[in-house]
Amino acid sequence: MIAKFDYHVPATLKEACEMKQEYGSSGVIVAGGSDVYAKLHDGNHRYDHVIDIKKIPEMKGIEWSEQEGLSLGAAVTHHEIERHPVITERYQVLVQGVRTVGSLQVRNRGTIGGNICTAAPSADGVGPLLVLNSECVIHGIGGERIVPLAEFFTGPKRTVLRSDEVLVRVRMKNPASRYGGAYFKYGRRNAMEIALLNISVYLEVDDDNKTCTEMRIALGTSAPTPIRVHKTEQYFIGKDLTDNEAVAKGGDLVIEEASPRSSWRANSNFRLTLLRQLVPRTVKTAYKSLIEE
Amino acid sequence: MYKKEISLTINNESYVREVAVNRTLLEFLREDLGLTGAKEGCNEGECGACTVLVDGKPVNSCLMLAVEADGSTILTIEGLADGDKLHPLQQAFIDEGAVQCGFCTPGMIMTGKAIIDEYGNPSEQEIRKLMEGNLCRCTGYTRVIKTVKKTADSMVENSDKK
């Protein structure tokens, strides 16, 4: 049984921000509830106020246009994303990530905004959004501000959101018409798994079909927050992606930028060993997806 | 507000009830309405034994509040048969012996039905992926997956004939 709380359903962003401000740490913002209600079931956590933001119009729906790109409401579910025709066609790397979240049942409730705001280092939806250069639309009592997703996380389960602020949407420009994308999740089993490690890659190549012109790599559970590894990305620019040795060297570089911790699930050295092997492999998968399309 | 009135449709019947806001949909179904088909396994969204369909979508009813179901249409295992006639997937689970202790079965069948409804005739591999949130601790998944696949095949075949 979940401990008693007061349940609030704000109809507007203004109301939601005011409630969040008023209730502070005794309140919690909930969308799909797949993290929050699971946590409340364990008996060790409780909140006096649950603020359910699912009815707020600005937080709903998937919008897409050729000019503006993609905009996901914070309350959009993972399953809505994985079934959306434009996203499945043009944002494959995002689909690859979100479809590994929990289970179908969890993806039908859990939202992309929740995946971001829970701020777990392992979030499956976040890496793909990072390599798509997403930005967050944040609303507070004073108005709106835009923060790049790469600057959104400040620590494990910590974000830049202020006491009166909520995430409204996450948006990104269209990827290049030709790009390679791949999401790799390392876990001990296929189903219902939290990533021991995850890697997202977005890359573009020159007209010769092998010289890398753009490389974006995001890592999950490899640092206190999901991160981009800019030095490794920079290394790849100008490299021939069919050159196995050159690609493998990216794995040696990436471990300089990662700082995974040891946890009961895996120790730090194991995670570094995985990164050295799996980053080059994921780059190759992304490259292959571009060449074979 | 600790209590709230909700109105919803469950297995084709309308209900108007007052519920405590911290009551999960699973507790509401089982304890308030006596619909004990959906089971409480892990109570944290891992096992899928509590799966019911909300507006056609499979969800873990242990991770959803009853008040969140206000205005929606819910189908539980109790509402799946048409009178005495079992749903093809229920019948197939019996015929194929896809049941052992039976605790996970209501959740398995509800997810299986939702997958067939949404995807038509998914491949065996797709079924495996889509049913990853229903755990069986007796025997495994081979018969369950085969049974869902077989039922999907025959339902598609039957609808083609019509």
Side-chain angles (χ1 to χ4, degrees):
Chain A
M1 213 176 103
I2 296 176
K4 260 192 178 175
F5 54 75
D6 211 346
Y7 183 64
H8 309 272
V9 188
T12 64
L13 283 175
K14 186 167 177 283
E15 270 179 52
C17 296
E18 286 167 358
M19 284 176 185
K20 192 183 172 202
Q21 172 89 313
E22 186 184 341
Y23 300 130
S25 60
S26 70
V28 63
I29 301 274
V30 175
S34 56
D35 282 325
V36 173
Y37 296 137
K39 192 168 107 178
L40 291 182
H41 270 305
D42 75 6
N44 298 321
H45 296 86
R46 65 164 299 168
Y47 293 101
D48 295 328
H49 300 276
V50 167
I51 307 163
D52 185 335
I53 48 81
K54 276 194 295 295
K55 299 269 162 73
I56 299 172
E58 290 91 336
M59 295 204 181
K60 294 191 205 175
I62 297 174
E63 287 160 18
W64 178 83
S65 73
E66 200 68 68
Q67 299 75 29
E68 299 291 321
L70 182 64
S71 166
L72 307 168
V76 166
T77 67
H78 296 104
H79 193 60
E80 284 175 72
I81 294 172
E82 69 176 325
R83 296 289 282 167
H84 191 274
V86 177
I87 300 177
T88 49
E89 195 195 318
R90 301 185 58 162
Y91 295 81
Q92 247 305 313
V93 63
L94 178 58
V95 175
Q96 283 179 36
V98 298
R99 73 190 295 271
T100 71
V101 172
S103 61
L104 177 60
Q105 290 92 321
V106 170
R107 294 195 294 279
N108 270 327
R109 299 291 300 167
T111 63
I112 193 69
N115 200 236
I116 295 169
C117 291
T118 296
S122 57
D124 292 302
V126 168
L129 289 174
L130 280 173
V131 298
L132 289 163
N133 285 339
S134 303
E135 56 186 23
C136 300
V137 181
I138 294 170
H139 197 91
I141 290 172
E144 194 177 274
R145 65 179 176 130
I146 310 292
V147 173
L149 181 61
E151 293 165 21
F152 187 79
F153 305 104
T154 54
K157 299 186 181 164
R158 302 181 69 87
T159 71
V160 298
L161 288 179
R162 297 177 191 136
S163 57
D164 64 321
E165 285 182 330
V166 293
L167 175 66
V168 184
R169 303 191 77 82
V170 54
R171 63 191 192 193
M172 66 220 83
K173 299 265 178 256
N174 280 316
S177 56
R178 283 194 78 220
Y179 77 96
Y183 177 75
F184 188 90
K185 178 175 184 169
Y186 184 89
R188 288 160 303 174
R189 55 181 188 224
N190 288 328
M192 296 302 299
E193 177 68 319
I194 294 170
L196 271 183
L197 193 87
N198 66 53
I199 300 161
S200 309
V201 170
Y202 172 102
L203 58 84
E204 293 169 29
V205 292
D206 216 340
D207 293 339
D208 66 2
N209 257 347
K210 55 188 187 184
T211 307
C212 179
T213 56
E214 174 82 16
M215 177 66 78
R216 302 176 205 154
I217 303 172
L219 308 179
T221 329
S222 302
T225 69
I227 52 165
R228 285 274 298 272
V229 282
H230 295 291
K231 283 181 194 156
T232 309
E233 293 175 0
Q234 202 52 44
Y235 159 78
F236 275 103
I237 306 299
K239 294 286 181 302
D240 175 354
L241 293 177
T242 62
D243 177 351
N244 286 335
E245 228 169 273
V247 173
K249 188 156 175 256
D252 299 335
L253 292 173
V254 80
I255 61 173
E256 303 294 323
E257 286 187 85
S259 54
R261 66 175 190 135
S262 293
S263 72
W264 64 271
R265 299 174 62 240
N267 74 29
S268 163
N269 276 338
F270 180 59
R271 287 194 165 111
L272 288 173
T273 307
L274 287 174
L275 281 172
R276 182 183 289 223
Q277 297 296 324
L278 296 176
V279 165
R281 196 187 295 178
T282 310
V283 166
K284 281 185 202 167
T285 309
Y287 176 66
K288 218 170 137 193
S289 80
L290 185 153
I291 294 304
E292 287 175 359
E293 99 190 336
Chain B
M1 125 188 110
Y2 288 115
K3 285 199 165 185
K4 195 174 174 246
E5 189 180 274
I6 57 170
S7 58
L8 67 177
T9 305
I10 303 171
N11 301 336
N12 283 323
E13 278 184 51
S14 301
Y15 293 83
V16 179
R17 290 289 164 104
E18 192 176 67
V19 290
V21 294
N22 62 333
R23 205 148 182 73
T24 64
L25 177 60
L26 179 63
E27 291 163 344
F28 174 68
L29 292 171
R30 289 180 60 87
E31 290 164 32
D32 296 354
L33 304 184
L35 295 169
T36 55
K39 300 290 186 275
E40 180 185 308
C42 66
N43 223 17
E44 56 180 30
E46 296 278 346
C47 77
C50 66
T51 302
V52 302
L53 308 192
V54 176
D55 297 325
K57 293 188 170 68
V59 305
N60 296 310
S61 59
C62 74
L63 290 187
M64 180 169 172
L65 303 177
V67 290
E68 290 181 281
D70 186 24
S72 56
T73 299
I74 293 180
L75 185 67
T76 74
I77 190 76
E78 288 91 343
L80 193 53
D82 181 8
D84 286 341
K85 194 172 175 292
L86 293 179
H87 182 276
L89 193 56
Q90 289 175 300
Q91 189 60 52
F93 263 68
I94 297 169
D95 296 343
E96 302 289 328
V99 176
Q100 203 171 84
C101 89
F103 192 86
C104 71
T105 310
M108 291 272 186
I109 292 180
M110 296 317 288
T111 306
K113 181 212 163 4
I115 292 172
I116 295 172
D117 288 347
E118 185 177 345
Y119 291 82
N121 195 0
S123 70
E124 205 173 298
Q125 207 186 352
E126 285 171 313
I127 295 170
R128 271 186 188 278
K129 169 69 188 153
L130 291 165
M131 293 195 65
E132 68 188 329
N134 290 87
L135 306 188
C136 166
R137 299 290 83 158
C138 291
T139 176
Y141 304 95
T142 306
R143 287 200 187 199
V144 171
I145 305 294
K146 281 197 160 39
T147 303
V148 174
K149 178 64 185 150
K150 209 168 158 177
T151 309
D153 285 344
S154 70
M155 284 175 78
V156 166
E157 206 173 293
N158 287 341
S159 67
D160 286 348
K161 278 178 197 160
K162 275 172 201 168

